[in-house]
Amino acid sequence: MKKTVLLSLAVAMAGTVMAQDIKTKDVPANVKAELAKKYPNVAKVSWEKEKGNYEANWGGKSGEDTSVQFTPAGVFVEEMNAIAITALPATVAPYIKAHYKGAKIKEAGRVTDAAGNKMFEAEIKGKDLIFDSEGKFIKVD
């Protein structure tokens, strides 16, 4: 019984961390207004809710070449542009090999936060690893 309860709790918690697709009508008007103001030429946007924020995705074959996050109050958090895995700084792959044995980078992106700081993101095993502009590991996001 304990195992079943713990497994159920772990699955429920994992679901709250992962992004959830949402409909445009469920995105607050102020968030949609900020997106339109900051990115007036964007079309065909899909939305997700991730870590309490709203994420707009658009572009490319997957529809996620560019993504931006806003808080529920409509405050810009960050922009992420998909890049080729080979475009990551040279230090990223060795770091992942040393700290995440056998992990493969599934996706990569160039991130710019609200303060203008540039970073890189490498997705492995459902985690986003964040590196600074030089390729030095910062954190797991």
Side-chain angles (χ1 to χ4, degrees), residues 36-92:
K37 185 165 63 173
K38 191 165 177 68
Y39 302 92
N41 298 321
V42 169
K44 295 186 181 179
V45 174
S46 64
W47 290 93
E48 297 177 5
K49 193 153 186 194
E50 186 172 333
K51 299 177 193 164
N53 290 328
Y54 293 90
E55 181 175 290
N57 300 289
W58 67 88
K61 290 181 183 178
S62 70
E64 296 186 356
D65 278 358
T66 301
S67 64
V68 294
Q69 280 192 27
F70 295 91
T71 67
V75 176
F76 174 77
V77 176
E78 69 180 19
E79 175 181 324
M80 201 269 301
N81 294 289
I83 60 172
I85 293 168
T86 56
L88 288 167
T91 56
V92 173

Side-chain angles (χ1 to χ4, degrees), residues 91-92 95 100 111 113 117-122 128-141:
T91 56
V92 173
Y95 177 88
Y100 296 90
V111 179
D113 68 14
N117 298 312
K118 308 272 186 206
M119 297 163 278
F120 289 94
E121 180 178 291
D128 293 329
L129 304 182
I130 308 300
F131 298 83
D132 69 13
S133 62
E134 304 298 316
K136 182 179 176 191
F137 176 75
I138 299 174
K139 65 179 180 176
V140 176
D141 193 20

